[in-house]
């Protein structure tokens, strides 16, 4: 057996409804049966074995109950059972055993055509051998029933496959809609005004109104920092944001200053409630401040 397939005993328990307490295994086996043709053929073979054992009376009382109450629920398996019973009844009605070797029968002579008449075979063979005729009729009947059964099985599997594809397409559409909603929400959050943190040569100013501090709202995406460099020449500066203990949590290099003011954004997710210091290259002292984080509503 293919190593990727479950054992025949597991498949048999699945078909008899004995895996209801193992939902994950039952769900995985159902999906594998739906998409794996080889496993589907194996399951069909085990279904046939269960039906044969059931008709032969070679199953336990517990399995008999499971077969009647669970296994035979689908119409396809009921048709399988009816076909097996029909075949058994057919062969039981044939008296005796067929001879192992039939005696040679001389070929029937063809009648010579008269005028435009078409040659005809002697039909006495069918009248003298009714058993052969009925066996042939039964074989044709069985072949027709088999074709109808296979057609119904294929139609059922095709319907299940189309339903699965439809569900998968629907889930993909829902996932795309969720991604679009998340993107729209992110755009709305990015459009919100940032928290302001301003430093000057003479004093510190905070957009939140708190002395030497800034408040982070649950929806705040960024902190706009403005550092007044005074008479320092316009150039590029390296900045580093660190905790009071000196651990760097965010940094940027070569940020340009304009008209003596260095402006940049710090992602709000980089900080939480606590005390921090901002170091700017060429500046002798750090700019320290306190962050207050508001709780979500």
């Amino acid at each position: 057996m293919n190593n990727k397939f479950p054992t025949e005993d597991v498949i048999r328990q699945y078909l008899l409804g004995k895996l209801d307490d193992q939902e994950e295994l039952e769900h995985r086996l159902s999906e594998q049966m739906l998409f794996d043709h080889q496993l589907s053929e194996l399951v069909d073979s085990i279904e046939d074995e269960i039906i044969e054992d059931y008709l032969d009376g070679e199953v336990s009382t517990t399995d008999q109950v499971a077969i009647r109450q669970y296994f035979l629920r689908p119409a396809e398996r009921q048709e399988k059972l009816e076909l097996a019973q029909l075949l058994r009844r057919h062969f039981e009605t044939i008296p005796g055993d067929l001879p192992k070797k039939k005696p040679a029968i001389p070929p029937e002579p063809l009648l010579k055509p008269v005028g435009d008449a078409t040659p005809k075979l002697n039909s006495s063979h069918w009248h003298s051998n009714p058993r052969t005729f009925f066996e042939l009729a039964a074989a044709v009947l069985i072949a027709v029933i088999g074709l109808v059964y296979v057609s119904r099985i294929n139609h059922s599997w095709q319907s299940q496959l189309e339903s699965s594809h439809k569900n998968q397409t629907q889930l993909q559409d829902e996932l795309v809609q969720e991604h679009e909603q998340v993107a729209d929400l992110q755009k709305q959050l990015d459009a919100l005004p940032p928290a302001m943190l301003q430093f000057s040569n003479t004093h510190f100013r905070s957009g939140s109104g708190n002395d030497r501090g800034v408040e982070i709202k649950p929806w705040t995406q960024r902190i706009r920092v403005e550092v007044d460099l005074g008479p320092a020449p316009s150039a590029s500066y390296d900045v580093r944001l660190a905790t009071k203990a000196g651990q760097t949590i965010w940094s940027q290099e070569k940020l340009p200053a304009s008209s003596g003011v260095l402006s940049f954004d710090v992602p709000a997710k980089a900080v939480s409630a606590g005390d921090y210091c901002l170091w700017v290259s060429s500046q002798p002292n750090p700019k320290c401040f306190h962050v207050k984080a508001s709780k979500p509503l």
Side-chain angles (χ1 to χ4, degrees), residues 58-226:
E58 296 180 357
V59 295
S60 64
T61 304
T62 304
D63 286 350
Q64 288 181 7
V65 174
I67 290 172
R68 296 191 190 100
Q69 297 182 356
Y70 185 89
F71 177 79
L72 291 176
R73 285 181 182 176
E76 294 84 0
R77 294 176 188 163
Q78 295 178 16
E79 293 177 356
K80 270 191 175 183
L81 177 62
E82 293 174 359
L83 178 60
Q85 292 173 331
L86 176 64
L87 290 174
R88 287 181 177 229
R89 285 197 297 269
H90 165 69
F91 288 111
E92 289 173 357
T93 57
I94 299 177
D97 296 328
L98 293 175
K100 296 183 179 179
K101 184 177 181 181
K102 294 183 179 181
I105 302 176
E108 298 287 344
L110 294 176
L111 298 179
K112 294 183 179 181
V114 179
D116 296 334
T118 304
K120 298 181 180 178
L121 290 175
N122 194 334
S123 61
S124 61
H125 172 74
W126 299 107
H127 296 285
S128 61
N129 296 276
R131 179 174 175 180
T132 301
F133 173 78
F134 286 115
E135 288 179 357
L136 179 60
V140 172
L141 176 62
I142 292 172
V144 172
I145 294 176
L147 290 175
V148 173
Y149 171 74
V150 171
S151 177
R152 290 185 179 180
I153 292 295
N154 289 337
H155 178 73
S156 175
W157 280 107
Q158 185 66 27
S159 298
Q160 294 182 22
L161 185 61
E162 290 176 357
S163 177
S164 176
H165 288 168
K166 182 178 180 180
N167 292 337
Q168 183 178 4
T169 302
Q170 182 178 356
L171 289 176
Q172 290 177 347
D173 292 340
E174 293 177 356
L175 185 60
V176 170
Q177 292 178 1
E178 290 182 1
H179 285 170
E180 291 176 351
Q181 292 175 358
V182 171
D184 290 341
L185 181 59
Q186 186 62 46
K187 290 180 180 179
Q188 295 176 16
L189 291 176
D190 293 339
L192 293 176
M196 294 298 299
L197 190 59
Q198 297 176 322
F199 299 93
S200 68
N201 285 334
T202 57
H203 64 280
F204 171 92
R205 300 192 306 275
S206 170
S208 64
N210 299 326
D211 187 28
R212 303 185 67 81
V214 63
E215 183 176 4
I216 304 298
K217 303 290 185 180
W219 55 83
T220 301
Q221 299 292 298
R222 53 200 173 93
I223 304 172
R224 170 56 59 90
V225 180
E226 294 182 355

Side-chain angles (χ1 to χ4, degrees), residues 227-229 232-237 254-263 280:
V227 180
D228 186 356
L229 302 174
S234 297
S236 296
Y237 297 86
K254 298 181 179 180
L255 293 177
S258 177
S259 301
V261 177
L262 179 64
S263 299
V280 180

Side-chain angles (χ1 to χ4, degrees), residues 4 27 36 38 56 59 82 111 139 141 244 251 260 290:
K4 68 180 181 179
H27 180 70
D36 195 313
Q38 293 182 354
D56 292 336
V59 295
E82 293 174 359
L111 298 179
L141 176 62
K244 273 289 188 179
S251 63
H290 178 77

